[in-house]
Amino acid sequence: MATDDTVRSELRGRLAGLAMAAVLGIGAFTYWYVVSGSTELGDLRRARALAATQTPQKAVVVDVEDLSAKESEGVGGGSAVVRLPDGAHADLWTLDTGLAVFFGGPDEGERLEVLVDPEEPTWAASAADAEASLLARAHFLAVTFLLRGGILLVLARSLLSVGDSIPLRAFRTLLYPRDHVSAEVVAVLHSDKRKPHRVTLRIRVGEDEYSWDATLPPECVPYAGGTLDLRGDVRDGGWVMAVDEKYGVAYPRSPLRQWGAEPPTQSWHPPESGRVTNRW
């Protein structure tokens, strides 16, 4: 088994995930909070300025998809479009535009008063929202920024999970293991019921005993009395992996802990009876 190649492949995946998460984070932050964020604040100030200088006009909300390509040319990409008294169409700005799924934006056929920008007749603002209270405007901006931040965190977390089967601190040791020893499984201290491949083992190497949190390869079930082919830095606080020619590599979730030096992190759960076990 080319163990070094396996670890290097995991390292490349982890570094690629970190790089993509960094690019996503920087790009999304720049666009959402600098470019788009400043646009939203600008639209809000623009609407407030129109409220002080323009007379409201009655308009009706129409479906953008109902407009022909010629009619909608120059209208923009807003989520709502209104038809003005003279028959022209304008992109509608409201405090709910872009957040209709949460706040319930304007409906098709709804009649409302708008303020049209005389310098850009294809842009109009809801008169009611242009005159909204400071609290309503602050609520709109806060929810917008928080929603974007939540989406960003979810995407970044999915990218950071690429290649996370090995903690970053363990790569250096596992790429250049100094020890290659056989260890005996004394007990299975813990097995996650939802993720049975995540286990905590009590193992013995010579006269020393350790507890070890590991992620096992598929179909590998350890049992008391089994053996592990350990590679890495076999000592208290050292990182190790266990290699099996048939099932693959068990990677560490934490370094070895000298048995008795501190209480085990997981409670004891005996392995389920009747399960097929491998040589571990």
Side-chain angles (χ1 to χ4, degrees):
M1 172 182 296
T3 308
D4 292 348
D5 291 342
T6 302
V7 176
R8 288 191 178 91
S9 177
E10 291 286 336
L11 177 58
R12 286 193 295 269
R14 190 66 186 278
L15 293 178
L18 290 173
M20 288 187 291
V23 171
L24 171 68
I26 295 173
F29 181 85
T30 301
Y31 177 75
W32 282 347
Y33 293 99
V34 179
V35 178
S36 182
S38 62
T39 300
E40 287 163 354
L41 289 173
D43 286 344
L44 187 56
R45 288 193 293 265
R46 185 180 182 183
R48 299 282 292 174
L50 291 177
T53 60
Q54 301 298 311
T55 301
Q57 301 182 39
K58 295 187 180 297
V60 59
V61 178
V62 296
D63 191 338
V64 176
E65 295 180 353
D66 289 341
L67 300 174
S68 68
K70 181 177 181 180
E71 288 176 319
S72 62
E73 183 178 354
V75 168
S79 62
V81 172
V82 293
R83 185 170 61 246
L84 302 174
D86 60 2
H89 296 94
D91 189 20
L92 176 67
W93 174 89
T94 73
L95 288 179
D96 297 330
T97 300
L99 296 174
V101 66
F102 300 99
F103 299 139
D107 298 319
E108 182 180 357
E110 181 178 346
R111 298 180 181 277
L112 70 168
E113 292 189 334
V114 299
L115 302 163
V116 179
D117 188 342
E119 297 182 0
E120 187 180 349
T122 57
W123 192 90
S126 163
D129 288 346
E131 299 172 353
S133 66
L134 177 62
L135 181 61
R137 301 196 303 272
H139 178 256
F140 160 73
L141 292 174
V143 171
T144 301
F145 279 56
L146 288 174
L147 286 174
R148 289 175 174 177
I151 294 172
L152 179 59
L153 287 176
V154 170
L155 294 176
R157 179 66 186 87
S158 65
L159 291 174
L160 289 175
S161 67
V162 176
D164 67 349
S165 57
I166 304 178
L168 282 174
R169 293 179 297 165
F171 277 109
R172 182 175 180 180
T173 300
L174 300 186
L175 282 172
Y176 307 102
R178 71 177 190 178
D179 298 322
H180 183 181
V181 299
S182 179
E184 178 188 358
V185 177
V186 178
V188 180
L189 301 175
H190 175 81
S191 179
D192 193 321
K193 294 181 179 180
R194 293 176 299 176
K195 299 178 180 179
H197 59 289
R198 295 168 65 93
V199 299
T200 298
L201 306 176
R202 179 179 177 181
I203 61 177
R204 179 184 295 120
V205 181
E207 299 298 323
D208 298 318
E209 291 190 0
Y210 305 92
S211 61
W212 184 44
D213 296 327
T215 301
L216 303 179
E219 301 181 7
C220 179
V221 183
Y223 63 97
T227 59
L228 299 174
D229 182 17
L230 290 185
R231 303 183 190 184
D233 187 9
V234 183
R235 62 178 178 83
D236 185 28
W239 294 94
V240 297
M241 59 186 172
V243 181
D244 185 277
E245 295 295 333
K246 179 179 180 181
Y247 291 94
V249 182
Y251 293 116
R253 301 199 319 276
S254 66
L256 291 174
R257 296 183 301 277
Q258 186 78 40
W259 186 259
E262 59 181 79
T265 57
Q266 307 288 357
S267 59
W268 182 78
H269 292 275
E272 299 176 13
S273 61
R275 296 177 68 179
V276 180
T277 60
N278 67 357
R279 72 182 185 88
W280 288 6

